[in-house]
Amino acid sequence: MALRQILHHPDPRLRTRATPVTRFDDELAVLIEDMFETMYDAPGIGLAATQINVHRRVIVVDVSTDRSAPLHLVNPELVETSGEEEMEEGCLSVPGIFETVRRAECIRVRARNRTGQTFELDADGLLAVCIQHEIDHLDGKLFVDYLSQLKQGRIRKKLEKEQRLAV
């Protein structure tokens, strides 16, 4: 297993639409394990392959407080949504920024596991929000895209300034 570098906004590679996984092999298993290691090290509760510059439709999530509920979804797709809720979100690719975003309260997602078996999962609360957030990454979308243009501009300038100062 290896830690992978997480891309930071406004890196244009975060806007790449991920392609579906067609091979369920050892390479995919290694990618999933690397993603979990990277997410836990960051630390975070979700990570999309796009965030580590791998443009394949893979996400990992663990919303438990003790890393006891790891979940990976390959080629995830929302098949049903209901309700609406607002929750404060953050993102490993937009470090230090937390904003309230409106998303579906309950979801049903269809995905495959690392061996290619299809399954469906019903989720609500934080897990539903996290899955929606990570699927957005696979589509080249960031949580800041849900914010006003003014807030987006402020966030972009703040992150660009931090990147300049870090060099």
Side-chain angles (χ1 to χ4, degrees):
M1 291 191 290
L3 289 176
R4 307 276 188 113
Q5 180 180 1
I6 297 172
L7 302 177
H8 291 154
H9 178 59
D11 191 312
R13 294 173 291 181
L14 289 168
R15 300 301 184 172
T16 304
R17 186 169 177 82
T19 59
V21 172
T22 56
R23 292 182 43 209
F24 297 83
D25 55 12
D26 290 342
E27 184 181 320
L28 176 62
V30 168
L31 172 64
I32 291 168
E33 290 307 314
D34 286 356
M35 288 175 66
F36 274 117
E37 186 174 345
T38 302
M39 177 187 73
Y40 288 137
D41 183 71
I45 62 170
L47 186 69
T50 301
Q51 293 176 270
I52 58 168
N53 201 30
V54 175
H55 302 288
R56 298 172 70 195
R57 296 190 74 81
V58 180
I59 64 174
V60 296
V61 175
D62 188 345
V63 297
S64 69
T65 56
D66 60 356
R67 300 180 178 182
S68 63
L71 174 65
H72 69 276
L73 298 106
V74 179
N75 299 335
E77 58 181 299
L78 294 176
V79 293
E80 190 176 316
T81 63
S82 64
E84 196 174 88
E85 72 177 325
E86 291 185 346
M87 190 175 289
E88 186 175 76
E89 294 186 28
C91 181
L92 297 175
S93 291
V94 190
I97 304 297
F98 298 91
E99 292 287 343
T100 301
V101 176
R102 179 176 291 141
R103 295 193 185 268
E105 180 179 17
C106 300
I107 64 168
R108 174 171 287 154
V109 63
R110 182 180 301 126
R112 294 180 181 259
N113 66 15
R114 70 180 69 206
T115 62
Q117 292 180 298
T118 300
F119 66 95
E120 288 191 0
L121 172 72
D122 292 320
D124 61 10
L126 181 59
L127 180 58
V129 167
C130 189
I131 290 171
Q132 292 172 84
H133 177 112
E134 300 310 331
I135 289 174
D136 275 354
H137 276 298
L138 300 180
D139 295 330
K141 188 171 186 175
L142 301 172
F143 86 100
V144 295
D145 297 343
Y146 291 94
L147 306 176
S148 71
Q149 294 286 62
L150 179 64
K151 280 188 178 182
Q152 288 180 41
R154 286 180 182 162
I155 290 167
R156 184 176 295 106
K157 286 179 183 177
K158 178 182 179 191
L159 293 174
E160 287 171 348
K161 180 179 178 182
E162 287 174 3
Q163 287 175 359
R164 281 193 310 274
L165 294 175
V167 175

